Amino acid sequence: LNSLGSFLRLGAGISAWKSYDGVHAWALRVAPSSGNLQTTEVHLVLPPLEGLAPVTAAYHYQPEMHHLELRLEAPQELVGGHQSSASGFLVILSSLCVREAWK
């Protein structure tokens, strides 16, 4: 879980917080973003890991809190009974184009 946390922090996490008046702050992420709009979202499909769901599941990464949100536990018929032997994971990048729509 620590290696996964490092992977996410270094690949999609927050690198710094900025403020112009000490009150209003915004995050800078390690991945470049046009106009700092942060349209790229990171999703993961992970095997059972201690501290997470006891089955293969899909998660959404929240960089502001460095937290994984459980989105869906995988149905047994999709993982084919390989719950305990899986050692890899899937990274899915998506884009929220609505964040740029006003530009």
Side-chain angles (χ1 to χ4, degrees):
L1 204 51
N2 287 335
S3 295
L4 178 62
S6 294
F7 173 83
L8 290 168
R9 187 179 304 277
L10 295 171
I14 303 290
S15 61
W17 287 90
K18 295 284 188 168
S19 175
Y20 65 88
D21 61 3
V23 176
H24 300 91
W26 66 94
L28 298 179
R29 289 174 52 179
V30 296
S33 172
S34 170
N36 200 33
L37 297 174
Q38 308 303 344
T39 60
T40 303
E41 295 285 318
V42 178
H43 303 269
L44 302 166
V45 177
L46 300 171
L49 294 173
E50 188 175 331
L52 297 176
V55 296
T56 299
Y59 297 88
H60 174 254
Y61 177 57
Q62 287 285 354
E64 295 84 5
M65 298 175 288
H66 189 59
H67 176 77
L68 288 173
E69 291 180 305
L70 177 63
R71 291 294 176 103
L72 175 71
E73 292 185 359
Q76 182 63 28
E77 57 271 11
L78 290 180
V79 293
H82 299 288
Q83 294 285 350
S84 61
S85 63
S87 60
F89 62 94
L90 176 66
V91 176
I92 302 164
L93 302 176
S94 63
S95 185
L96 293 175
C97 298
V98 70
R99 290 185 186 160
E100 307 187 315
W102 63 273
K103 283 193 153 191

